[in-house]
Amino acid sequence: MSTVIENLLARKQKLVEELETAQTVEDRDRIEHQLEQINTALDFLDRPGPEDGR
């Protein structure tokens, strides 16, 4: 599971760097949408599972 999280965090870092240099509104929107998806995935992976909540 940690590999998935590491990959998501690496992708997030790359997107943040791309966002800083994005030239068009379309590029910014695309990057921001991908960042939202990554954040959602990270939030989901960070939640305790049913076995953790006991």
Side-chain angles (χ1 to χ4, degrees):
M1 182 72 77
S2 64
T3 302
V4 172
I5 294 171
E6 290 169 2
N7 288 340
L8 287 169
L9 290 172
R11 179 72 179 135
K12 182 177 178 177
Q13 179 62 38
K14 183 177 178 186
L15 286 169
V16 168
E17 292 170 3
E18 287 181 28
L19 186 60
E20 294 173 356
T21 60
Q23 298 294 318
T24 66
V25 173
E26 291 82 10
D27 286 342
R28 287 184 176 275
D29 288 345
R30 176 186 55 80
I31 293 168
E32 287 173 352
H33 178 70
Q34 290 179 24
L35 285 169
E36 288 175 16
Q37 290 178 322
I38 289 173
N39 286 333
T40 299
L42 288 169
D43 288 344
F44 179 77
L45 292 171
D46 194 39
R47 291 184 192 156
E51 66 278 355
D52 294 339
R54 292 184 185 183

